[in-house]
C-alpha cells in the first residue's frame, strides 16, 4: 500500500530505490557489501557461527543440573528450534545472495522483518516471543564476531570505502535510518546509496549538511520513517519537497521517473555555466567559493567552478577515530592535498569545530552535557587543549607554504579568546622556526556565528583580516533554536529581523573598514536568499559545490543596484518574508 512520509527537504533531486534500513548506530552490527564471489564463503561463515551457537546450547542442555527449573530447558529447546529453522535460515541467506549483505547485516535485516511480523500479532504472549528470536540472533551475531571482519558500528564499514560498491546487483538502494552522525554520513560518501532518509535532524544539522555535500536527494526529520519503511520496500525520496513515498504505484513511479529525468537535464544545462564568471547585470564581481569536508572534495569544487574553498571543515579529519586524533604530519598532508587540489586557488581552513551535533566519536559524545551546543565546542575545545590546537596550527601553517591559505577560527565571542588564539598562532610559528620547518603566510579570519560576535565587530576587525558569517549557528544562537532538533525546525528562520540585522551590520562594517566578508552557512547556498544577500552588499558566498551553479545562475540575473533599496526595505520590515519577491 502506498503511503507518504513528510520530513525536511535537505538535498534536492529525486531518488528511487529499494530501502536499506540500518538500525540505530548504537547497535553493534557491521554493514558492508560483499563481492558476489564471496557469497558462498559468507554463507559458510554464517553457518559456522550458527553451528557454534547450536553446539553451545546443546552443551548447556547436557550440563544442566537436575534441579534446574523446567522453564530453562524449554527455553533452550525453543532457541535450538529457531536456530535450526530452515525457513529462517533461508531468509537470512536470501539477503546475502540477493543483496550482497555481509552475514551480520543479513541477520539483522531478517530480524527486523520478523520483529514487525511479531508486532502485528494480536496475542500478547506470542508478541513477546520476539525476545527469543532476538536472543538467538544476538548469540549468532556474537559468534560471528569471532569468525570474520567485525565493525563496531553500522556506518563504519571495516572495509575501505571504495569497496562499498554495489557488487553484481544493480538495484538502486536508498538508506533509511533513525539517525546518522556526521561521521557516519562521511563514511557513506561514494557509497552505493542514491538517497537518504533519517528520522531526526534539522535542515542545518551537520548530518543534513554532509548529505547535501553528497549531492544526492535526502530528507531528514522524517520522524518515524525508519519504523514505517520496511527492509527492501521501494521508496521514492523527493529531496525538493521533503517527502518520502513508500511502495509507490506504477503511475506515481512513472511520474517521479519523469521528474528525475527533468532534474538531470537541468543539471546538464547548469553545467554550461561552469566557466562563466559570476558577474551581476550591473558588473559586480561575485566570489563563489566551496565548502568542503575532506581534501578530496576539492575535485567537486573545481568541477563546479568554485574560485576557492571558503570553508574547509577540518573537524571531519578528527571524527570517528575513537580518540586517536590526527597528528601534525597527517593533518599537514590533508591540508596540503586540499591546497594542491585547488590548483593555486585559495583555501580557507577552519580550525577544528567539534562538539554539539559533531561529536568526535561515540565514546566522547558531547550529548552527555546538558546543552552541548552551548558547551565546550569549536575554539573553546581548542583553547582547552593547547597542545592539540598547536599541532593543528603548525600543520595549517606548513600547508600554507604550498599555496594561498586562510586560517579561520570558529565560534569566538570574547576578546580574551581572540588574544589567546593569536598568541597560540604566534607560538606555532616560533615552534616551526625553531625546527627550521618551512611555513607560509596566512590571512586570519574569524567566524561570526554568535550574536555577541556580530555585536562586537570593532573588536573582531581590530584583529582579523576577514570575517565569515556562519549563519547556521548565528540563527541557532540568535533565535535559541537547536539546529539539529526537528521539533523546533519551523522556528529556525533565516529571515527573522534580528538575524537579518546581524548579517547586514557585519557586511556593512566590513565594507566600511575595507575588510573581506563572506557568508559560509547554508544560507549562502540557498538560491532563495541570493538576491537578498546581494542586496545587503554581500560579494562572497561559500557553499557546497552542488549549489554553486544554481547560485551563479541567480547572480547572473541580478542587478545589485536595484536590489539594494529593496534589501533595505526587507531589513526594515517586521515581516521580511512578506517582501521576499522583489
Ligand atoms: C555555520 O555555523 O554557519 C557554519 C558554517 O559552521 P558549521 O555549520 O560547521 O557549524
Ligand atoms: Mg558554525
Amino acid at each position: 500500500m502506498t503511503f507518504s512520509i513528510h520530513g525536511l527537504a535537505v538535498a534536492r533531486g529525486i531518488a528511487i530505490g529499494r530501502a536499506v534500513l540500518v538500525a540505530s548506530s548504537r547497535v553493534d552490527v557491521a554493514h558492508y557489501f560483499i563481492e558476489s564471489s564471496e557469497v558462498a564463503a559468507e554463507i559458510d561463515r554464517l553457518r559456522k557461527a550458527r553451528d557454534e551457537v547450536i553446539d553451545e546450547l546443546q552443551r548447556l542442555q547436557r550440563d544442566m543440573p537436575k534441579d534446574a527449573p523446567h522453564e530453562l530447558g524449554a527455553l533452550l529447546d525453543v532457541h535450538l528450534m529457531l536456530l535450526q529453522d530452515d525457513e529462517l535460515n533461508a531468509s537470512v541467506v536470501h539477503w546475502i545472495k540477493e543483496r550482497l549483505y555481509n552475514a551480520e547485516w543479513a541477520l539483522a535485516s531478517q530480524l527486523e522483518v520478523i520483529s514487525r511480523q511479531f508486532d502485528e500479532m494480536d496475542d500478547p504472549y506470542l508478541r513477546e516471543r520476539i525476545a527469543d528470536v532476538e536472543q538467538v540472533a544476538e548469540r549468532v551475531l556474537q559468534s560471528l564476531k569471532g569468525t570474520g571482519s567485525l565493525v563496531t558500528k553500522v556506518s563504519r564499514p571495516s572495509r575501505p570505502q571504495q569497496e562499498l560498491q554495489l557488487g553484481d546487483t544493480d538495484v538502486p538502494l536508498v538508506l533509511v535510518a533513525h539517525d546518522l552522525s556526521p561521521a557516519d554520513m562521511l563514511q557513506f560518501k561514494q557509497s552505493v546509496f542514491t538517497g537518504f532518509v533519517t528520522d531526526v535532524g534539522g535542515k542545518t544539522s551537520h548530518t543534513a549538511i554532509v548529505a547535501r555535500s553528497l549531492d544526492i536527494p535526502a530528507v531528514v526529520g522524517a520522524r518515524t520513517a525508519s519504523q514505517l519503511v520496511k527492509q527492501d520496500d521501494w521508496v521514492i525520496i523527493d529531496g525538493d519537497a521533503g517527502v518520502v513515498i513508500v511502495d509507490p504505484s506504477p503511475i506515481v513511479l512513472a511520474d517521479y521517473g519523469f521528474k528525475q529525468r527533468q532534474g538531470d537535464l537541468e543539471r546538464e544545462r547548469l553545467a554550461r555555466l561552469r566557466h562563466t564568471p559570476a558577474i551581476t547585470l550591473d558588473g559586480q564581481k561575485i566570489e563563489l567559493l566551496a565548502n568542503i569536508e575532506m581534501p578530496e572534495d576539492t575535485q567537486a569544487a573545481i568541477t563546479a567552478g568554485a574560485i576557492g574553498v571558503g570553508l574547509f571543515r577540518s573537524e571531519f579529519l578528527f571524527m570517528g577515530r575513537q580518540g586517536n586524533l590526527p597528528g601534525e604530519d597527517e593533518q599537514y598532508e590533508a591540508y596540503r592535498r586540499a591546497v594542491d587540489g585547488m590548483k593555486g586557488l585559495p583555501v580557507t581552513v577552519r580550525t577544528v569545530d567539534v562538539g554539539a551535533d559533531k561529536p568526535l566519536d561515540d565514546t566522547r559524545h558531547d550529548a552527555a552535557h546538558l546543552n552541548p551546543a552551548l558547551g565546550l565546542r569549536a575554539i573553546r575545545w581548542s583553547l582547552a587543549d593547547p597542545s592539540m590546537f598547536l599541532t593543528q596550527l603548525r600543520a595549517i601553517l606548513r600547508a600554507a607554504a604550498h599555496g594561498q591559505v586562510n586560517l579561520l577560527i570558529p565560534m569566538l565571542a570574547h576578546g580574551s579568546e581572540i588574544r589567546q588564539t593569536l598568541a597560540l598562532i604566534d607560538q606555532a610559528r616560533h615552534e616551526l622556526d625553531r625546527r627550521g620547518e618551512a611555513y607560509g603566510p596566512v590571512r586570519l579570519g574569524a567566524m561570526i556565528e554568535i550574536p555577541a560576535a556580530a555585536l562586537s565587530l570593532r573588536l573582531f576587525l581590530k584583529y582579523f583580516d576577514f570575517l565569515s558569517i556562519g549563519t547556521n549557528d548565528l540563527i541557532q544562537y540568535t533565535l535559541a533554536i537547536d539546529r539539529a532538533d526537528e521539533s523546533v525546525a519551523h522556528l529556525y528562520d533565516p529571515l527573522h529581523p534580528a538575524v537579518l540585522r546581524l548579517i547586514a551590520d557585519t557586511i556593512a562594517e566590513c565594507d566600511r573598514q575595507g575588510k573581506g566578508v563572506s557568508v559560509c552557512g547554508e544560507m549562502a547556498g540557498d538560491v532563495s536568499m541570493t538576491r537578498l544577500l546581494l542586496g545587503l552588499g554581500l560579494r562572497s558566498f561559500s557553499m557546497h559545490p552542488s549549489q554553486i551553479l544554481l547560485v551563479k545562475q541567480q547572480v547572473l540575473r541580478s542587478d545589485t543596484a536595484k536590489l539594494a533599496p529593496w534589501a533595505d526595505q526587507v531589513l526594515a520590515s517586521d515581516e521580511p518574508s512578506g517582501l521576499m519577491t522583489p
Side-chain angles (χ1 to χ4, degrees):
M1 188 192 60
T2 305
F3 62 96
S4 55
I5 305 167
H6 293 252
L8 302 166
V10 292
R12 68 207 164 94
I14 309 287
I16 304 174
R18 281 197 182 270
V20 173
L21 277 144
V22 293
S24 142
S25 55
R26 278 161 287 284
V27 175
D28 204 8
V29 170
H31 291 67
Y32 56 85
F33 292 97
I34 57 167
E35 300 289 337
S36 51
S37 58
E38 296 168 326
V39 166
E42 199 65 8
I43 295 174
D44 200 41
R45 196 160 81 80
L46 179 71
R47 191 183 48 75
K48 282 201 179 110
R50 193 199 57 190
D51 289 350
E52 206 177 276
V53 178
I54 292 177
D55 283 351
E56 190 190 323
L57 295 187
Q58 284 175 339
R59 206 169 37 245
L60 273 173
Q61 229 173 14
R62 263 198 319 273
D63 300 346
M64 198 151 34
K66 294 266 179 297
D67 55 350
H70 163 74
E71 288 82 0
L72 199 59
L75 192 70
L76 287 177
D77 283 343
V78 171
H79 284 196
L80 278 165
M81 217 170 65
L82 283 169
L83 282 162
Q84 286 156 335
D85 185 279
D86 288 343
E87 206 178 315
L88 185 63
N89 287 316
S91 312
V92 180
V93 164
H94 160 87
W95 295 111
I96 300 179
K97 277 190 181 160
E98 300 301 319
R99 287 275 170 270
L100 301 180
Y101 291 177
N102 62 306
E104 290 90 339
W105 189 358
L107 185 57
S109 300
Q110 192 53 32
L111 179 62
E112 207 192 272
V113 171
I114 298 172
S115 302
R116 286 173 196 243
Q117 290 166 354
F118 272 80
D119 275 350
E120 282 160 17
M121 288 179 184
D122 291 332
D123 183 331
Y125 174 78
L126 285 179
R127 219 172 29 239
E128 279 165 23
R129 299 283 52 82
I130 185 63
D132 293 319
V133 187
E134 281 170 354
Q135 280 168 12
V136 166
E138 247 166 55
R139 277 182 186 273
V140 179
L141 282 172
Q142 203 58 35
S143 165
L144 277 166
K145 268 192 190 181
T147 66
S149 51
L150 182 91
V151 191
T152 52
K153 289 288 176 281
V154 60
S155 46
R156 302 202 174 95
S158 61
R159 296 166 171 234
Q161 198 61 33
Q162 56 270 30
E163 282 190 38
L164 241 179
Q165 299 299 337
L166 203 50
D168 284 351
T169 160
D170 54 3
V171 182
L173 300 174
V174 299
L175 186 72
V176 182
H178 175 67
D179 190 12
L180 292 166
S181 73
D184 290 338
M185 291 295 288
L186 210 58
Q187 293 288 337
F188 285 120
K189 276 200 170 189
Q190 287 142 31
S191 73
V192 297
F193 300 108
T194 58
F196 289 89
V197 183
T198 60
D199 294 347
V200 301
K203 259 191 174 192
T204 60
S205 64
H206 285 94
T207 299
I209 287 174
V210 183
R212 213 165 287 134
S213 81
L214 301 178
D215 199 16
I216 56 175
V219 171
V220 302
R223 295 183 180 241
T224 47
S226 74
Q227 287 161 39
L228 298 174
V229 179
K230 291 197 297 296
Q231 197 75 253
D232 230 28
D233 271 348
W234 275 102
V235 168
I236 297 173
I237 299 176
D238 183 341
D240 298 307
V243 173
V244 181
I245 300 163
V246 185
D247 199 10
S249 66
I251 294 178
V252 174
L253 259 183
D255 192 27
Y256 274 94
F258 177 72
K259 279 193 191 156
Q260 203 175 26
R261 285 190 295 282
Q262 294 287 97
D264 292 344
L265 286 177
E266 168 71 5
R267 274 168 202 245
E268 278 169 32
R269 203 178 52 73
L270 275 177
R272 292 190 218 125
L273 294 181
R274 185 185 157 198
H275 298 293
T276 311
I279 297 178
T280 61
L281 292 173
D282 57 328
Q284 293 287 321
K285 206 163 163 249
I286 309 299
E287 245 183 8
L288 299 182
L289 304 158
N291 290 356
I292 64 169
E293 277 90 39
M294 283 292 181
E296 293 64 39
D297 297 341
T298 49
Q299 208 182 329
I302 293 283
T303 307
I307 61 159
V309 167
L311 174 65
F312 177 174
R313 289 185 163 97
S314 69
E315 53 274 15
F316 283 88
L317 301 172
F318 288 64
M319 287 180 190
R321 303 172 57 114
Q322 268 64 44
N324 296 318
L325 302 188
E328 181 181 324
D329 285 345
E330 183 182 340
Q331 286 190 58
Y332 158 69
E333 291 299 338
Y335 305 137
R336 186 181 170 170
R337 277 204 311 283
V339 169
D340 291 347
M342 288 312 289
K343 306 178 196 314
L345 296 168
V347 175
T348 301
V349 182
R350 180 176 72 181
T351 59
V352 64
D353 177 4
V354 290
D357 69 330
K358 279 185 286 192
L360 267 186
D361 52 58
D362 296 319
T363 56
R364 294 172 65 167
H365 204 304
D366 213 11
H369 301 280
L370 280 181
N371 282 310
L374 304 181
L376 196 65
R377 187 193 153 182
I379 189 64
R380 302 168 181 183
W381 193 74
S382 297
L383 292 177
D385 188 349
S387 135
M388 180 281 302
F389 192 33
L390 281 165
T391 302
Q392 176 168 42
L393 291 172
R394 288 193 304 269
I396 297 172
L397 291 169
R398 282 171 61 192
H402 304 281
Q404 196 184 327
V405 170
N406 305 319
L407 178 55
L408 181 61
I409 313 294
M411 257 195 98
L412 287 163
H414 301 267
S416 58
E417 288 172 322
I418 298 177
R419 286 184 288 276
Q420 278 180 68
T421 302
L422 298 182
L424 285 166
I425 295 172
D426 273 347
Q427 188 179 332
R429 286 197 186 99
H430 286 140
E431 287 172 3
L432 291 172
D433 281 337
R434 266 203 305 278
R435 270 166 37 187
E437 195 91 61
Y439 64 91
V442 289
R443 284 172 72 236
L444 276 186
M447 299 275 295
I448 298 295
E449 45 189 353
I450 300 181
L455 294 168
S456 327
L457 294 167
R458 255 186 329 161
L459 169 73
F460 277 74
L461 290 174
K462 199 155 84 184
Y463 294 106
F464 290 100
D465 303 314
F466 69 97
L467 299 181
S468 188
I469 309 175
T471 47
N472 305 336
D473 279 316
L474 188 61
I475 298 166
Q476 155 165 273
Y477 295 126
T478 304
L479 302 179
I481 296 300
D482 184 342
R483 61 193 266 196
D485 184 348
E486 71 281 2
S487 67
V488 285
H490 60 291
L491 296 173
Y492 188 94
D493 181 12
L495 291 174
H496 189 289
V499 172
L500 292 182
R501 170 55 57 201
L502 295 175
I503 295 173
D505 287 355
T506 307
I507 298 169
E509 188 58 29
C510 286
D511 261 4
R512 239 186 319 275
Q513 299 203 27
K515 299 267 176 122
V517 59
S518 80
V519 169
C520 65
E522 297 300 290
M523 214 171 154
D526 179 346
V527 248
S528 67
M529 297 290 158
T530 310
R531 284 186 291 191
L532 178 62
L533 291 171
L534 287 170
L536 293 176
L538 189 74
R539 299 295 177 261
S540 174
F541 297 64
S542 192
M543 68 202 83
H544 279 300
S546 59
Q547 295 301 110
I548 288 180
L549 293 173
L550 269 176
V551 171
K552 189 188 278 189
Q553 176 174 260
Q554 195 67 261
V555 165
L556 297 175
R557 295 171 180 168
S558 300
D559 183 331
T560 61
K562 288 191 182 140
L563 289 173
W566 162 73
D568 280 344
Q569 280 174 26
V570 176
L571 198 58
S573 167
D574 292 337
E575 295 291 342
S577 53
L579 297 173
M580 274 308 280
T581 23

